[in-house]
Amino acid sequence: MNFIIEVLKATIPAGTPLLLGALGEIYVERSGILNLGVEGMMIMGAISAFSMTNITGNVWLGVLISIIIGGGMALIHAFNSITLKANQTLSGLALTMLGLGLSGLIGKGYIGVPLSGKLHNLPVYGFKDIPIIGPIFFDQDPLVYISYVLTLIFWFFLFNTRFGIELRSVGESPDVADSAGINVAKIQYLATFIGGMMAGLGGAYLSVVYAPAWIEGMTAGMGWIVLAITIFSLWRPERAILGSYFFGCIRVLQYRLQPLGISPNLLNMLPFIFTILVLMLAAREISRKRISSPSSLGIPYFREKTL
Amino acid sequence: MLEKYRNLGLSFLVVILGLFGIYLVSGISPYIMLKSIIISAFGSIYGLSETLTKSIPLMLCGLGLSLSFRSSIWNIGAEGQLLMGAIGATWIALYVMPNAPKLILIPMMFIVGAICGGIWALIPAILKVKFNLNEIIVSLMLNYIAIEFVNYLIYGPWKSPYEWGFPYSTKFPISAQLPRILDTRIHYPTLILALVLAIFIYIILYKSKLGYEIRVIGDNIDAARYAGLDIRKIIILVLILSGGLAGLAGVGEVAGIHHRLRVASGISSGYGYTAVIVAWLGRLNPFLIVFVSFLFGGLLVGGDAIQVSLGLPGATINFINGLILIFVLVQSFSKIRLYSTKKGAER
């Protein structure tokens, strides 16, 4: 029992960068934009947060800069796909390459450097004594609590506010949204920007809280897993929790199973194999429930076409 | 015609912009960096030979990807398909028929390597056709799995007892090693194979029924559906061919250069990802891809050189590649814009 609680307690931080990234990407894809550059934005978030924290000694400044950098990178993608209406797949891939390259360049001097600031665990008074749930969910660092709140906010805004309705209608049928007087480009820019900020934040969590260290290419495919979680969540923030913690748990088990003599290389395959399995699961559910991805996902919106 | 070359020229401008970005971060003068990239890649016989050597896997992967991109199938898994080809070749050379004569062994390695790469690409193809899974994510995940698989083999069951504990497989027998030109590393059988395949793929794409169908699917999948094309069959076929070509590249790397299986990052320095850019910069045209491969081979050689001479990390080239890709993209936009306004005007 203690072992299970221990694994689950470790699962939450392992899944948090994925959750943060997925929440953002859900908004991006809901607006009809496909940003495959999550990996690049996350790793740039990771290095910028790490270097800023090291320079200032303040974790929160590191977190702040990662959000700005992530959002800034997303604006490149927004410009490519919304203003230029260029190919979104290629633009996303380019963002990933840029991020991996630039982070390696900036991070060269930070390899093996210990982090000067630290985020301590902050048990929530009252909640932490609830049996089982308390130690798992409420004996974590402040950013984990922020991720809970953000999930709630993302869910609330998507389904209960005017912005959420506009966001969803832009992704479903931009021409209808346009004729209803919604500024399609503005919504899409905003969504893409939010997605980038969240990916940057996820990267920051990885390098300044979870690791805490800078390792070149430390996202190691997490950005792509975020994209899979986005699909698995059926574009619903509350379902992203499930997917993110599932992959967090796999990551924890990867380390726990290593002493049993299983090849670390084989264990490293696990998240990627499960990504494919989870996608298959989601595909079944999508066809059974007759839901679909946002209809205009990845398709540039030309106003001329609808006139 | 002129436009194509103008684009190539402008893409070099982006390389220069990228170098300036690197200057801001690292403080190394872009002029010195550019000079050392160009001189190390194209400025000597040795440099040129290395450039040509590195262009071989780029050609094969890029040609394969051009087929799949032409039909709007986003195979991003050339990296993994290349590695599976390398595994297939190693398996044949070390475990299936190590004593076979050269004339049988080498063709067998290429055939099995192509099959392994093809099978690795078949996975996203089937998942796309049967379950409508996104082939981008699946093929990318398979890259990571292939990398871990190679590393598992050389740290585990295929680790050589004769290499003082290094993570290498046993060295290939002489009969499994590709001949090279003089004392360069140009394994010319693979190069010739790539050039022949470029012609072959040109014929497939532009002179055959299959090529016509591929282009119809790529341009307008609804039209293809109306025309009654068997889209599923073509998707599967295209991805197998695409993966097979990447598999050949993997065979060339282990049989022509390393003569053993080694860590994944040692076999491929991201050829599969660079090939995505090569294919697009080559406008998905087989002959242009051969030429662009040579330029990017040079960029890779230059990237290695600035690591040693200027102390820049290997990721620098990733950054330049990303910039070039963004540039390709910005170039292609004007074409789309033109097309759509023309359509608007017609109405």
Side-chain angles (χ1 to χ4, degrees), chain A residues 8-295:
Chain A
L8 290 179
K9 183 169 162 25
T11 289
I12 306 291
T16 298
L18 297 170
L19 177 61
L20 293 168
L23 287 176
E25 185 67 14
I26 286 171
Y27 268 36
V28 181
E29 295 197 7
R30 279 279 186 178
S31 81
I33 300 292
L34 179 66
N35 188 353
L36 296 178
V38 180
E39 179 89 359
M41 299 186 297
M42 272 182 106
I43 193 111
M44 280 304 288
I47 185 58
S48 54
F50 190 87
S51 53
M52 189 55 132
T53 305
N54 240 329
I55 292 165
T56 61
N58 186 331
V59 175
W60 295 105
L61 280 178
V63 168
L64 183 71
I65 192 81
S66 75
I67 294 172
I68 296 170
I69 295 282
M73 281 189 76
L75 285 182
I76 299 176
H77 181 71
F79 181 73
N80 285 340
S81 39
I82 302 165
T83 307
L84 297 185
K85 304 183 198 317
N87 186 306
Q88 298 183 14
T89 306
L90 281 181
S91 172
L93 286 174
L95 217 55
T96 293
M97 289 180 187
L98 277 181
L100 289 173
L102 195 56
S103 65
L105 204 58
I106 299 171
K108 192 171 173 261
Y110 289 108
I111 296 171
V113 174
L115 193 65
S116 56
K118 198 177 174 342
L119 220 51
H120 293 281
N121 269 17
L122 199 75
V124 181
Y125 182 78
F127 285 99
K128 74 174 183 353
D129 299 322
I130 304 171
I132 303 175
I133 291 179
I136 294 174
F137 290 100
F138 296 105
D139 184 12
Q140 302 283 4
D141 58 82
L143 265 173
V144 167
Y145 304 136
I146 291 178
S147 77
Y148 299 159
V149 176
L150 281 172
T151 310
L152 209 63
I153 292 176
F154 271 65
W155 168 81
F156 181 81
F157 267 81
L158 188 58
F159 295 114
N160 297 295
T161 64
R162 194 182 161 77
F163 170 70
I165 295 169
E166 290 184 352
L167 182 69
R168 284 181 289 146
S169 58
V170 164
E172 286 301 335
S173 49
D175 39 352
V176 173
D178 193 5
S179 49
I182 298 170
N183 187 339
V184 173
K186 194 181 103 189
I187 296 277
Q188 290 184 329
Y189 258 96
L190 193 62
T192 311
F193 187 60
I194 292 173
M197 293 196 295
M198 293 298 285
L201 181 60
Y205 187 82
L206 203 59
S207 68
V208 298
V209 183
Y210 189 73
W214 166 250
I215 304 155
E216 193 175 325
M218 70 187 300
T219 44
M222 289 179 97
W224 299 101
I225 294 175
V226 162
L227 286 160
I229 292 172
T230 306
I231 297 172
F232 171 74
S233 75
L234 309 177
W235 299 273
R236 300 178 73 93
E238 73 277 15
R239 267 190 61 132
I241 297 182
L242 197 67
S244 305
Y245 291 159
F246 173 73
F247 281 102
C249 187
I250 288 176
R251 193 175 164 123
V252 172
L253 289 178
Q254 241 171 285
Y255 295 116
R256 297 283 166 141
L257 292 177
Q258 217 159 304
L260 302 181
I262 303 171
S263 152
N265 297 115
L266 291 183
L267 288 172
N268 287 345
M269 288 183 193
L270 283 179
F272 305 116
I273 293 172
F274 274 102
T275 307
I276 296 175
L277 294 178
V278 154
L279 282 174
M280 289 171 70
L281 217 68
R284 244 189 63 193
E285 201 170 349
I286 286 171
S287 70
R288 193 161 45 93
K289 288 189 183 165
R290 292 169 189 276
I291 33 182
S292 69
S293 54
S295 324

Side-chain angles (χ1 to χ4, degrees), chain B residues 95 265 269 306:
Chain B
Y95 299 97
S265 56
S269 48
I306 57 173

Side-chain angles (χ1 to χ4, degrees), chain B residues 100-108 175:
Chain B
K102 199 163 199 156
L103 274 176
I104 297 175
L105 185 53
I106 285 181
M108 272 310 283
S175 54

Side-chain angles (χ1 to χ4, degrees), chain A residues 34 36 39 76 80 83-87 89-91 93-95 97-98 100-102 104-106 108 216 220-221 224-225 227-228 231 263-266 268-269 272-273 275-276 279-280 283 302 304-305 307, chain B residues 22 25-26 74 76 127 131 133-134 136-138 140-142 144-145 148-149 151-152 155 273-274 276-277 280 311-313 315-316 318-319 321-323 325-326 329-330 332-333 336-337 340-341 343-344 347:
Chain A
L34 179 66
L36 296 178
E39 179 89 359
I76 299 176
N80 285 340
T83 307
L84 297 185
K85 304 183 198 317
N87 186 306
T89 306
L90 281 181
S91 172
L93 286 174
L95 217 55
M97 289 180 187
L98 277 181
L100 289 173
L102 195 56
L105 204 58
I106 299 171
K108 192 171 173 261
E216 193 175 325
W224 299 101
I225 294 175
L227 286 160
I231 297 172
S263 152
N265 297 115
L266 291 183
N268 287 345
M269 288 183 193
F272 305 116
I273 293 172
T275 307
I276 296 175
L279 282 174
M280 289 171 70
F302 290 98
E304 300 101 302
K305 270 189 181 172
L307 290 175
Chain B
I22 293 168
V25 175
S26 69
W74 290 93
I76 313 293
L127 291 176
F131 301 98
L133 289 202
N134 182 321
I136 302 172
I137 301 180
V138 174
L140 244 153
M141 293 293 109
L142 288 170
Y144 288 103
I145 294 173
E148 296 297 343
F149 191 40
N151 294 349
Y152 163 71
Y155 280 103
Y273 297 111
T274 309
V276 174
I277 312 172
W280 281 106
L312 288 164
T316 315
N318 259 336
F319 178 63
N321 276 344
L323 274 167
L325 191 51
I326 286 201
L329 220 106
V330 174
S332 63
F333 115 83
I336 302 169
R337 187 46 88 66
S340 81
T341 40
K343 258 177 93 178
R347 221 177 279 121

